[in-house]
Amino acid sequence: MTEIKTTIDFDPDALRTRYKAERDKRIRSDGNEQYLEATGTFSHFSIDNRGGKIIERDPLSNEVDVVVIGGGFGGLIAGARLKNAGIDDVLLIEKGADFGGTWYWNQYPGARCDVESYIYLPLLEEVDKIPSEKYASATEIQEHARAIANRFDLDKDVCFQTEVKSIQWNANTSRWIVVTDRGDAIKARFVVMASGPLHKLKLPGIEGIDTFAGHVFHTSRWDYDYTGGSPNDDLTGLADKRVALIGTGATAIQCVSHLGKASKHLYVFQRTPSSVDFRGNRPTDSEWAGSLEPGWHKERMENFNNLVSGIPQEVDLVDDCWTDLIGNIADMYRRGAVQPEMDLLEVLEMANFEKMESIRKRVEESVDDPEIAEALKPWYALFCKRPCFDDEYLPTFNRENVDLIDTGGLGVEKITSGGVVVAGEEYEVDCIIFATGFEVGTGYERRAGCQVVGADGRTLTEKWDEHGVSTLHGLQTSGYPNYFMLGANQGAFTVNFPHLLDEAATNTVCIIKHTVDEGYLTVDVVQEAEDEWVKTIVEKARGPIGSGPGSTECTPGYYNNEGHLNEKARQGAPYGGGSVEFFKLMEGWRNDGDFKGLKFN
Ligand code: NDP
């Protein structure tokens, strides 16, 4: 490794050693198994507490062209693009009682997008909307989801409060049979699965979790009946309550300041600190909004995506802490902090160290008690975990009524009927809130909550258990004709998730339209093309990202399958060449017009 000559004020070797030690402390042999599913005795954790009474309706058995599973941004973008392509017979099926997907479920206090709303919210020009703030609230984001549904008439054909339990391919009729928990058996020519990557909440497998006698809920089912208030109002019901918040990921970072203000006492139980950078939210400048020219939305999304992918741009349109890391690299060059012979990976590592040093400095500047500040410092590379942005989280630990209970990387030891135990000490509380996230590394069908039975009668789990995840472009898998999956597995990953959903929806609609226009009944993947794509994914995953996000060198979390990356898990990775390269590849593939790798019947 080349030595740093000038103007950096950290010791890279010391940081490498510290990062490794902190990671090693947190690696657990049980990986994903440490978590509990919200089923059986824990099923009450996932009950929809926003939707009100189940609206009775008769079971459906009709036939439609396309069933879209999921009424979040993925499903809405797919629905909108289908309608734009003239495919009108689209039925959306959604578990919640409204549109919004993750923004329906996650209405915890302080919930906001943390990628700029002008690029995060999809279809802004089509809906003629400019968000009111740089980082819009969950309430406004959900309103936008409704507006998309309304603009594209997707609210005319939707089944809310309906969970798809299975879809089964019927080769005789060339239709999917979509079976739901409401007794529906709908026939569909095409199915688009847009159930989202963070669809299924998870609970920590802490000893005694089922013994707590107080109130308890997960952040994705926030109980405003108990806490009082609303996503944007004070939580008035907590004034006499001692509250435990378990978890310090992106969700916790956003709701801690609200809980701190409202609770009689708040204990925040931390296993791994998040990196918490500057937020700088502000209202939208109406003059700027008025100056936007048609095409601005796509241009801004691409500008951001290029910058966060390390591709220099003449201007930084978004100009926030996501794009700042790249600016930091340029700055290092300007300062001569790196030697010319350093390769890009070394420069990236230095820039990452520097960025994380500034994050740790920010903790010192925001938190009065040096001991608490020390415990809040993250010791891993940026992008090992989801970076967070908030200006009120850190100062909340200066409040008299807020305690950080750092578990030294080990997690909560035990839950009792009266409270939470760490290092032998019990903290008595009235309420426990789990900010412990969602299943990512478990099986596809388990996460989707739906069995997918293909042409040969095999479930997708059976197919992928045998060979690992295998798709063409992350979108289709052979033996499951007319079936499309919107997500990041073997497709693109970018921090602006709706951007990749839009690209995947564009591909989906292009293929469906071709199938329909040419009078074909089915479209499936050629096995050799799928094998080739899997090879590409595995090869690219072994490349430069080995030491980057998703790497086993990172502290464990859902980005790296809790630190257990075997060949099979690696096979489910996104395209290692990055989203910019992937989107170009897909655009070229569409423009070629010969649908290479697909077979039509
Ligand atoms: P995460 O999975 O990111 O965080 C879960 C937290 O629970 C971690 O801090 C984890 O610690 C902790 N935890 C788990 N088990 C234990 C235990 N036994 N004892 C103590 N702590 C424990 O979930 P989030 O809901 O915070 O975020 C999930 C994702 O949702 C984000 O990564 C982001 O992609 C998305 N999100 C987006 C937002 C936005 O756009 N504005 C806002 C919020 C979320 P450890 O780190 O050690 O595993």
Side-chain angles (χ1 to χ4, degrees), residues 443-445 447 458-471 476-478 480 483 485 489-490 530 568 571:
Y444 173 80
E445 287 173 311
R447 277 179 290 125
R458 267 197 316 173
T459 66
L460 205 41
T461 303
E462 284 162 350
K463 174 177 170 178
W464 287 355
D465 270 355
E466 202 175 321
H467 304 292
V469 175
S470 64
T471 70
Q476 292 164 277
T477 184
S478 69
Y480 300 76
Y483 178 64
M485 299 164 281
N489 279 357
Q490 297 193 345
E530 183 165 309
K568 243 183 179 176
Q571 200 171 307

Side-chain angles (χ1 to χ4, degrees), residues 40-264:
T41 47
F42 299 105
S43 53
H44 60 280
F45 278 98
S46 57
I47 287 173
D48 181 3
N49 56 5
R50 291 191 66 206
K53 266 191 22 207
I54 300 279
I55 296 174
E56 293 304 327
R57 63 168 175 81
D58 291 332
L60 302 174
S61 57
N62 56 318
E63 176 167 328
V64 295
D65 279 344
V66 189
V67 160
V68 176
I69 303 174
F73 281 149
L76 290 167
I77 298 169
R81 300 262 176 250
L82 283 163
K83 297 261 174 163
N84 271 350
I87 297 161
D88 279 323
D89 191 14
V90 178
L91 174 69
L92 251 73
I93 303 183
E94 164 58 48
K95 188 163 82 173
D98 201 346
F99 295 103
T102 199
W103 297 102
Y104 171 84
W105 300 107
N106 289 282
Q107 288 275 332
Y108 57 82
R112 293 181 173 275
C113 56
D114 59 10
V115 168
E116 192 200 57
S117 58
Y118 315 131
I119 56 167
Y120 180 82
L121 269 60
L123 301 164
L124 283 174
E125 288 191 70
E126 289 83 343
V127 173
D128 196 16
K129 154 104 185 167
I130 304 288
S132 66
E133 292 171 279
K134 191 166 170 76
Y135 304 97
S137 71
T139 320
E140 183 171 352
I141 297 173
Q142 206 202 338
E143 269 165 27
H144 182 60
R146 286 192 201 105
I148 295 171
N150 184 265
R151 159 72 182 76
F152 292 94
D153 278 345
L154 295 164
D155 47 3
K156 306 273 186 308
D157 285 306
V158 57
C159 292
F160 286 130
Q161 299 179 311
T162 303
E163 200 170 354
V164 177
K165 301 312 286 181
S166 73
I167 65 167
Q168 177 145 18
W169 180 249
N170 183 328
N172 296 326
T173 57
S174 297
R175 296 289 182 271
W176 287 99
I177 311 296
V178 181
V179 174
T180 76
D181 63 349
R182 304 291 295 269
D184 307 309
I186 301 156
K187 295 175 231 18
R189 220 176 137 184
F190 302 94
V191 170
V192 180
M193 178 63 87
S195 57
L198 301 173
H199 169 75
K200 199 169 164 189
L201 69 86
K202 65 179 162 49
L203 299 166
I206 300 169
E207 183 192 332
I209 183 173
D210 51 350
T211 63
F212 183 61
H215 200 74
V216 60
F217 59 90
H218 186 272
T219 47
S220 67
R221 304 288 186 276
W222 195 272
D223 188 351
Y224 285 105
D225 285 344
Y226 180 82
T227 65
S230 72
N232 308 310
D233 286 324
D234 293 346
L235 308 169
T236 46
L238 294 181
D240 59 349
K241 301 287 190 294
R242 297 159 302 172
V243 177
L245 181 74
I246 298 185
T248 50
T251 298
I253 300 309
Q254 291 191 327
C255 65
V256 155
S257 60
H258 300 264
L259 285 171
K261 262 181 237 151
S263 311
K264 179 177 173 206

